Amino acid sequence: MKFLRLLLVLVTFPIFAQQGGMWIPSMLKGMNESEMQSLGMKMTAEDIYDVNKSSLKDAIVHFDGGCTAEVISPKGLLLTNHHCGYGEIQSHSTVEHDYLQDGFWAKDMASELPNPGMVVTFIVSIHDVTNTVLEGVASLNTEADKQKRIQENINRVQTTFPKETWQENKIKTFYEGNQYILFVTETYKDIRLVGAPPSSIGKFGSDTDNWVWPRHTGDFSMFRIYAGKDNKPAEYSKDNVPYTPKHFLPVSLDGISEGDFTMVFGFPGRTQEYLPSFAVEQIVNTLNPAKIEIRDNALKVQDGFMRKDQAIKIQYASKYASVANYWKKWIGESQGLKKSNAIQLKKDFEAEFQKRIAQKGKSAEYGNILADFEKNYKAINEYTLARDYFIEVVLRNTELLSVGFKLYQLEQVYKTKGEQAFDDRKTNTINSLQGFYKDFNVNVDEKVFEKLITLYGQKSPLIPEEFKTMNYEKTTADIYKSSKLTSYEGVKSLFKGDAAANFKALNKDKGYVLVKKLAENYFNNIAPTYDRINLEIGALQRNYMKAQLDLFPDGRFFPDANSTLRITYGQVKGYSPNDAVYYQPVTHLEGVMEKYIPGDYEFDVPSKLLDLIKNKDYGQYAENGKMPVCFIATNHTTGGNSGSPAIDAHGNLIGLNFDRVWEGTMSDIHYDPEICRNIMVDIRYVLFVIDKYADASHLIDEMKLVHPKK
């Protein structure tokens, strides 16, 4: 279609250098390739993405749907972040064998630990299918009808597009629905834990240092892909063999210097770079403060219990880290958006946008976009806030309520699809809850429940009437004293007999009754209006994106992140977060000792690492007698890039992406090249820990170590 051709020309036009961006690897020819080479890259676009021969993309996997990992040996050895493998490390841990505290290293392949349900996905090829997906859409009148037709077309193309029997087709939308791309994928299902440092290395600094520079965290863990004897995906079997990759990343021992080219390759989760000012104002002034307050309350309760009880610390370690991650990110994001004056910059852009509409005679097409945005964001405000309260309190941060909601969904299955469908879903749901209750502590959850249900009743709009006068302390005590949802045995007891008996028992349970009231209120009084207005906002956003591409032909427009394979490139570079303050781009083990607090769960240091530091026993991994730990660069990253490889100018592994600096966490909404930096573990520190600390040199022997600078 004509617009798509225009779009592809615009986004590959060479305009501004080093301004961020998350680019589709199959579309690097032109502006991106030239710019990357001007920054020092020695590769071609084909070295990064090629369908006909092995290329860098064949070493990159979507790790368990949420992170990124890379293949670093010819035997399918995977490297990702410690926090990406945290749940699996925890699941193998007990009080007697605490791999979170002590680390884990398989001495041979037979000792590697299976992880049921874990998967990694490779991208085989990438195809633009925009014309086919948008076929017959323009003639439809309503946004709902358009979205229905688009989904029908997506389903048809995904089903019919050529692929091998073990592969899948997945279509994703780009540029707010102005472009659609199909990914042919391969998913491997036998992934085993190979090694992980103790949390005192892999999570050094914990939540205090999260999103902060300077950083001294060895945030890595290692897994291995196993395949059938034909090297194709296979369910777990003791007969499976290590996967033989099409490509694996050589590992550079030469380190980095300020100004070096860096590329991060991975699966960034979600960005919103092209929102109007009205949306950013809502995020900064309404939504983020509410979510921060909810999580702050939950975290304080959990932390209080975890500091006093080792068993609870193990149970809640992964959950706490997950909740704290975005709590701190939202705080930094709001501060960054205010400091960088993002709202005013958006308004300034919108003033220029309106001016260009008039200049180019486009009022009929685009003239009402901003006014309609303002109207719709005002209309949706309390519904969006109520939705966030429901998600944060009921679905994410109160475990009894989240279990109750799953059971509520079972009741809806019974009502809409009948008893057979209910029976099938019931078995799966009850079985899945067994693992959930392994890491559930009723005393912790009761205190979280009391805090959050009070916040919900006092601050959320559109709440059920009885919540306005509820005694939250008494309600909490009554539920946790009598509800069957406080234990796995209790939940199972509710599902004895047939469906009628199940729901009779469920609807007498005080915990379930409360969840049901909250859910019905959400689906009856919040979701319908939110969904209707949000659909209109989505249509406006699509047209706004089209208008920006049309009216700003010299602009630099990269597609927002959507968990698809992307590359981002930049250079190793320090930054100045405040007046008279400058951060160097590299940290060393001396900084670990400066932060060291014996016995502290965030800043303790293992005794063996202390000895290695004292003796400066760094092997071949040091530089000028010092052991590098982390470094920063100007790559534009987000959630999902955790575990992404940092790649040098020649295509070698130099580091492992794991975080961003706090001053730049607003980069999901507004990228500022002056202060936005991604944080990476130096690969030499990873090798040092494996070799000198863990005595796992057999893993080093698998890798291809290179000296590209020499």
Side-chain angles (χ1 to χ4, degrees):
M1 69 190 304
K2 182 179 180 182
F3 175 72
L4 176 63
R5 289 197 298 272
L6 172 66
L7 182 153
L8 293 176
V9 170
L10 292 175
V11 299
T12 56
F13 195 81
I15 305 299
F16 309 117
Q18 303 182 59
Q19 294 298 303
M22 300 174 179
W23 305 95
I24 302 166
S26 60
M27 300 178 183
L28 297 177
K29 270 293 184 187
M31 180 272 287
N32 292 120
E33 184 181 45
S34 298
E35 184 177 77
M36 293 162 80
Q37 290 172 345
S38 75
L39 293 173
M41 185 181 78
K42 306 302 181 185
M43 297 178 286
T44 66
E46 288 81 7
D47 293 327
I48 296 168
Y49 175 90
D50 198 307
V51 198
N52 301 314
K53 61 181 182 180
S54 67
S55 55
L56 287 183
K57 63 100 174 161
D58 297 311
I60 316 301
V61 297
H62 204 184
F63 184 80
D64 211 26
C67 288
T68 302
E70 49 276 358
V71 186
I72 59 169
S73 89
K75 298 179 181 178
L77 189 63
L78 278 181
L79 183 67
T80 190
N81 286 155
H82 186 269
H83 74 259
C84 293
Y86 203 75
E88 282 64 41
I89 302 166
Q90 180 204 36
S91 70
H92 292 296
S93 296
T94 63
V95 174
E96 294 78 21
H97 300 286
D98 189 347
Y99 298 139
L100 289 176
Q101 178 176 292
D102 304 326
F104 168 80
W105 301 96
K107 294 304 179 184
D108 51 39
M109 291 183 185
S111 305
E112 295 171 358
L113 302 177
N115 300 284
M118 175 178 274
V119 299
V120 301
T121 300
F122 289 91
I123 302 299
V124 178
S125 58
I126 303 172
H127 309 269
D128 192 309
V129 292
T130 305
N131 291 348
T132 311
V133 169
L134 294 181
E135 196 173 280
V137 172
S139 61
L140 300 174
N141 294 321
T142 70
E143 182 61 22
D145 287 341
K146 289 178 180 179
Q147 291 303 317
K148 182 181 177 184
R149 177 64 61 84
I150 287 170
Q151 193 55 55
E152 289 170 352
N153 290 343
I154 286 175
N155 293 340
R156 174 171 51 82
V157 176
Q158 287 183 157
T159 302
T160 59
F161 195 89
K163 66 175 181 62
E164 301 293 346
T165 55
W166 63 88
Q167 296 173 341
E168 290 182 276
N169 293 327
K170 299 177 181 177
I171 293 177
K172 290 277 193 161
T173 179
F174 292 77
Y175 295 105
E176 308 293 350
N178 287 294
Q179 185 178 24
Y180 291 85
I181 293 177
L182 181 143
F183 297 82
V184 180
T185 66
E186 289 180 345
T187 298
Y188 285 78
K189 303 174 182 179
D190 186 353
I191 315 300
R192 305 182 195 178
L193 177 62
V194 173
S199 293
S200 51
I201 292 175
K203 206 170 183 291
F204 182 78
S206 193
D207 300 300
T208 297
D209 270 8
N210 192 23
W211 303 106
V212 167
W213 185 258
R215 200 67 175 275
H216 301 86
T217 311
D219 194 348
F220 77 94
S221 59
M222 307 182 81
F223 292 78
R224 192 183 305 278
I225 306 171
Y226 281 77
K229 292 181 179 178
D230 57 2
N231 208 43
K232 294 183 175 62
E235 297 290 344
Y236 169 79
S237 168
K238 62 181 178 60
D239 297 324
N240 285 347
V241 296
Y243 168 71
T244 301
K246 297 175 185 175
H247 183 78
F248 64 91
L249 297 180
V251 179
S252 171
L253 286 174
D254 286 350
I256 49 91
S257 302
E258 187 154 13
D260 279 359
F261 172 84
T262 56
M263 181 174 76
V264 171
F265 211 159
F267 292 83
R270 185 168 181 259
T271 58
Q272 299 172 285
E273 302 289 343
Y274 306 106
L275 291 174
S277 61
F278 316 105
V280 180
E281 279 185 302
Q282 186 184 78
I283 289 167
V284 171
N285 298 328
T286 303
L287 304 182
N288 276 2
K291 293 187 291 187
I292 290 165
E293 184 179 24
I294 291 166
R295 293 201 176 194
D296 187 57
N297 277 267
L299 289 167
K300 284 177 179 175
V301 171
Q302 292 177 359
D303 182 63
F305 280 95
M306 290 168 68
R307 287 180 180 272
K308 296 174 183 175
D309 190 309
Q310 179 67 11
I312 293 176
K313 183 181 174 184
I314 293 173
Q315 283 182 312
Y316 278 79
S318 180
K319 292 183 283 192
Y320 183 93
S322 177
V323 173
N325 190 43
Y326 265 71
W327 163 77
K328 193 168 185 178
K329 188 260 187 183
W330 290 326
I331 295 172
E333 177 180 84
S334 293
Q335 291 179 356
L337 289 169
K338 290 174 183 176
K339 181 178 178 179
S340 63
N341 208 18
I343 295 172
Q344 187 57 50
L345 290 173
K346 292 278 186 182
K347 289 180 177 179
D348 293 344
F349 174 81
E350 288 160 6
E352 178 63 22
F353 177 81
Q354 287 294 107
K355 186 188 298 183
R356 293 198 182 198
I357 289 173
Q359 289 172 346
K360 297 194 176 187
K362 298 276 187 176
S363 294
E365 251 183 295
Y366 308 133
N368 293 327
I369 289 176
L370 294 178
D372 288 344
F373 265 137
E374 183 175 20
K375 179 186 69 176
N376 279 289
Y377 274 104
K378 283 181 180 177
I380 204 173
N381 190 61
E382 70 171 356
Y383 294 94
T384 305
L385 181 59
R387 180 177 182 268
D388 276 358
Y389 266 102
F390 179 78
I391 290 170
E392 287 293 314
V393 173
V394 179
L395 303 187
R396 289 186 178 161
N397 293 297
T398 313
E399 294 178 286
L400 181 141
L401 295 179
S402 67
V403 169
F405 184 75
K406 289 179 181 177
L407 304 184
Y408 171 79
Q409 290 177 306
L410 279 180
E411 187 170 0
Q412 304 319 299
V413 169
Y414 175 68
K415 290 179 177 178
T416 58
K417 297 184 178 179
E419 189 157 0
Q420 182 59 54
F422 163 74
D423 287 338
D424 294 340
R425 179 77 72 87
K426 177 178 76 170
T427 302
N428 292 335
T429 300
I430 301 305
N431 289 341
S432 71
L433 289 176
Q434 186 172 6
F436 169 86
Y437 278 103
K438 173 180 176 284
D439 294 324
F440 174 83
N441 184 286
V442 66
N443 296 320
V444 177
D445 198 56
E446 180 175 359
K447 293 301 181 185
V448 172
F449 179 100
E450 184 178 336
K451 288 283 188 182
L452 299 197
I453 206 69
T454 302
L455 271 180
Y456 182 87
Q458 292 175 348
K459 296 195 173 184
S460 176
L462 306 170
I463 60 175
E465 194 63 32
E466 60 262 44
F467 275 72
K468 297 175 182 177
T469 56
M470 180 180 286
N471 182 323
Y472 305 109
E473 185 177 349
K474 183 177 184 303
T475 298
T476 302
D478 287 348
I479 287 174
Y480 281 81
K481 182 179 179 181
S482 65
S483 176
K484 300 290 187 183
L485 306 189
T486 57
S487 72
Y488 184 56
E489 293 302 320
V491 170
K492 286 197 297 184
S493 72
L494 293 170
F495 286 90
K496 293 178 178 177
D498 61 13
N502 295 164
F503 293 121
K504 183 177 180 181
L506 262 177
N507 283 283
K508 289 181 179 179
D509 187 278
K510 289 185 177 181
Y512 181 75
V513 168
L514 183 80
V515 174
K516 190 171 182 177
K517 285 178 182 175
L518 291 168
E520 288 179 344
N521 178 67
Y522 174 75
F523 287 115
N524 293 333
N525 301 322
I526 299 168
T529 303
Y530 172 85
D531 290 342
R532 176 180 56 78
I533 302 174
N534 195 52
L535 193 65
E536 294 175 15
I537 289 174
L540 281 171
Q541 191 70 41
R542 183 177 67 242
N543 204 31
Y544 187 42
M545 187 76 249
K546 178 175 179 288
Q548 290 178 71
L549 293 163
D550 186 4
L551 299 172
F552 295 83
D554 292 340
R556 179 186 177 94
F557 298 102
F558 55 90
D560 269 323
N562 59 357
S563 294
T564 56
L565 187 62
R566 305 291 183 91
I567 67 114
T568 175
Y569 49 88
Q571 293 175 306
V572 177
K573 193 174 182 182
Y575 73 108
S576 180
N578 297 299
D579 182 44
V581 176
Y582 180 77
Y583 283 144
Q584 297 290 337
V586 181
T587 61
H588 299 85
L589 271 180
E590 284 80 357
V592 170
M593 297 309 298
E594 290 170 1
K595 294 178 178 180
Y596 171 44
I597 304 174
D600 183 87
Y601 87 98
E602 292 187 305
F603 294 102
D604 202 359
V605 177
S607 59
K608 186 171 182 180
L609 183 57
L610 289 174
D611 290 339
L612 291 167
I613 295 171
K614 179 182 177 181
N615 297 322
K616 293 189 177 295
D617 186 5
Y618 303 143
Q620 63 179 324
Y621 312 112
E623 183 174 6
N624 299 322
K626 298 176 72 173
M627 186 67 241
V629 177
C630 296
F631 66 98
I632 53 174
T634 60
N635 303 292
H636 187 179
T637 61
T638 187
N641 277 125
S642 290
S644 291
I647 296 170
D648 71 5
H650 303 275
N652 304 307
L653 186 65
I654 54 173
L656 185 64
N657 185 83
F658 71 96
D659 208 352
R660 285 172 283 168
V661 301
W662 205 32
E663 297 86 356
T665 52
M666 84 290 190
S667 62
D668 290 348
I669 296 169
H670 172 65
Y671 179 83
D672 184 342
E674 291 301 312
I675 60 173
C676 290
R677 298 289 183 272
N678 65 308
I679 305 176
M680 294 156 281
V681 187
D682 193 304
I683 195 63
R684 292 170 294 174
Y685 186 55
V686 172
L687 298 175
F688 159 74
V689 172
I690 295 170
D691 188 353
K692 291 291 187 175
Y693 178 85
D695 296 320
S697 59
H698 62 286
L699 297 175
I700 306 287
D701 294 340
E702 277 191 47
M703 305 174 200
K704 180 181 179 182
L705 304 183
V706 296
H707 288 279
K709 291 185 177 181
K710 297 177 183 178

